[in-house]
Amino acid sequence: MKLHQLQYFREVCAQNGITKAAETLHISQPAVSNAIKELEEEFHVKLFKRVDKRLILTKEGAYFLLEVEELLSRANALTQKMYHLGTQKNLIRIGLPPMISVMAFRLIQDFHSAHPEIELELYDEASLTLRRMLQEDKVDVIIVSGMNTDFTNLGFCKLQRSELLFCVNRNHQLAGEPCVSIAHAALEPVVMFKSSFHVREKVLERFHENGCTPRVMWTTQQLYTQLQLIRNGMAAGFLFREIVENEEDITGIPLDPPMETDIEMVWLKNGKVYQDINCFIRFTQEHCRKYGLKCVKE
């Protein structure tokens, strides 16, 4: 079994035929046919059956496709990692949820200024998604709101503690209140992040603890969309204090009791592969001790 045979097999499945697969791969049709034939002969199974002039996966072929997808994904990841090692290219893949991405702008800017030779590849995803990507070695470091990291293969450190505020338009009737209960927040239409965001889970947990159900009118994974809806008075929302403290059209109201969470940096314990990851970790710890994570006012 060879890697190119698996690639040809996957493309035949994607194109539902050998002719189209050969065109997509820019190779001859016999080359694709021979690769499929060689696989079937090696494993003594039929991978496809022909129905109405179309190739349909057999039961064995369907199982093989699942395994092939995983093998090719791992092969691609290994190729990329070895390429970076072989060319001695400095690269750090950093995962940041939308709010923390904004708060970490100065950190990223200052690190680039201090280490221009290191390339930064940024991934803007939900916290739970980033934690899964980290375990799958698709990112090197993530900065996320705290979720009690306790995996033995992960290193982590707390960077700062932040507070989630109930945010409304500055002309909203609650804008002048010193604090608001979750029961009062439940009366307002709100916009929330989609599932897989730790902030969403934390807010919903608070509602559940108080026997309330939020009036969720909009869900999004974009911070900009949330800010626009709140600025225009169409919804309230739950955002970190650092996000709204420079927003002229939005008032952030503390919850009673306050809703706080730790922001932490998490990484796989494989720093021996990339020394530049250790460099970023140390730089981030020192930067946060000096400045913290906060939005840069334009």
Side-chain angles (χ1 to χ4, degrees):
M1 183 174 65
K2 300 178 176 63
L3 192 62
H4 77 273
Q5 293 173 325
L6 303 184
Q7 293 168 333
Y8 295 177
F9 169 75
R10 182 177 65 178
E11 197 59 38
V12 170
C13 295
Q15 302 298 334
N16 293 315
I18 291 176
T19 302
K20 288 185 177 180
E23 293 174 356
T24 302
L25 293 166
H26 303 292
I27 59 175
S28 67
Q29 184 173 331
V32 178
S33 298
N34 288 336
I36 301 301
K37 182 180 178 182
E38 289 167 357
L39 286 171
E40 292 181 328
E41 290 178 349
E42 180 177 353
F43 300 123
H44 305 290
V45 296
K46 283 291 184 182
L47 298 174
F48 295 98
K49 59 184 177 182
R50 192 171 291 277
V51 178
D52 297 330
K53 298 182 179 182
R54 295 176 62 246
L55 287 181
I56 304 297
L57 282 170
T58 62
K59 179 176 67 174
E60 294 81 4
Y63 171 78
F64 189 56
L65 177 60
L66 292 175
E67 297 298 321
V68 165
E69 292 283 7
E70 176 66 20
L71 283 171
L72 290 178
S73 176
R74 293 179 61 185
N76 181 64
L78 178 60
T79 300
Q80 292 297 319
K81 179 170 287 190
M82 294 309 297
Y83 171 77
H84 292 310
L85 288 174
T87 57
Q88 297 182 340
K89 180 180 180 182
N90 295 320
L91 172 69
I92 309 176
R93 302 164 299 170
I94 305 172
L96 301 162
M99 282 200 287
I100 295 176
S101 178
V102 174
M103 294 162 59
F105 179 81
R106 180 178 176 180
L107 164 65
I108 300 300
Q109 185 180 51
D110 288 354
F111 181 81
H112 175 68
S113 297
H115 301 277
E117 76 283 1
I118 299 178
E119 179 184 350
L120 301 180
E121 195 170 86
L122 305 180
Y123 292 81
D124 190 354
E125 299 285 351
S127 295
L128 299 180
T129 301
L130 289 173
R131 287 177 179 269
R132 185 180 69 249
M133 290 175 66
L134 183 65
Q135 291 282 9
E136 295 172 352
D137 199 23
K138 294 180 179 178
V139 292
D140 301 306
V141 181
I142 62 175
I143 301 178
V144 294
S145 52
M147 296 177 64
N148 299 320
T149 299
D150 57 2
F151 296 99
T152 56
N153 66 326
L154 297 180
F156 75 101
C157 69
K158 294 181 181 179
L159 299 178
Q160 69 184 46
R161 193 159 181 81
S162 188
E163 182 181 6
L164 280 167
L165 303 180
F166 184 65
C167 300
V168 297
N169 174 274
R170 64 178 180 178
N171 296 318
H172 192 280
Q173 60 182 359
L174 293 176
E177 295 296 322
C179 60
V180 64
S181 68
I182 204 70
H184 279 96
L187 301 176
E188 301 293 329
V190 296
V191 55
M192 296 184 69
F193 283 112
K194 291 185 176 181
S195 57
S196 295
F197 282 86
H198 173 245
V199 167
R200 174 191 174 96
E201 299 305 316
K202 188 172 183 66
V203 170
L204 291 179
E205 182 181 4
R206 174 66 69 87
F207 276 105
H208 178 73
E209 289 173 352
N210 287 269
C212 303
T213 302
R215 292 179 57 197
V216 181
M217 304 300 293
W218 291 272
T219 57
T220 179
Q221 57 186 17
Q222 301 297 325
L223 174 60
Y224 175 79
T225 302
Q226 289 207 39
L227 290 172
Q228 285 296 91
L229 288 168
I230 299 171
R231 287 182 188 129
N232 294 331
M234 299 175 65
F238 297 87
L239 303 173
F240 287 134
R241 178 182 293 276
E242 293 83 354
I243 295 294
V244 297
E245 60 186 1
N246 292 324
E247 286 284 339
E248 295 181 356
D249 295 323
I250 296 177
T251 298
I253 311 168
L255 288 160
D256 182 21
M259 189 184 300
E260 297 181 328
T261 186
D262 290 321
I263 295 178
E264 61 185 26
M265 177 169 54
V266 190
W267 62 92
L268 286 174
K269 293 180 179 177
N270 63 346
K272 63 180 181 181
V273 177
Y274 292 112
Q275 290 301 318
D276 46 344
I277 296 176
N278 289 329
C279 176
F280 179 78
I281 291 170
R282 291 192 299 269
F283 185 94
T284 299
Q285 290 172 320
E286 181 62 26
H287 187 279
C288 287
R289 277 194 291 267
K290 288 183 178 179
Y291 309 110
L293 297 174
K294 60 183 66 177
C295 297
V296 178
K297 189 173 183 179
E298 298 181 357

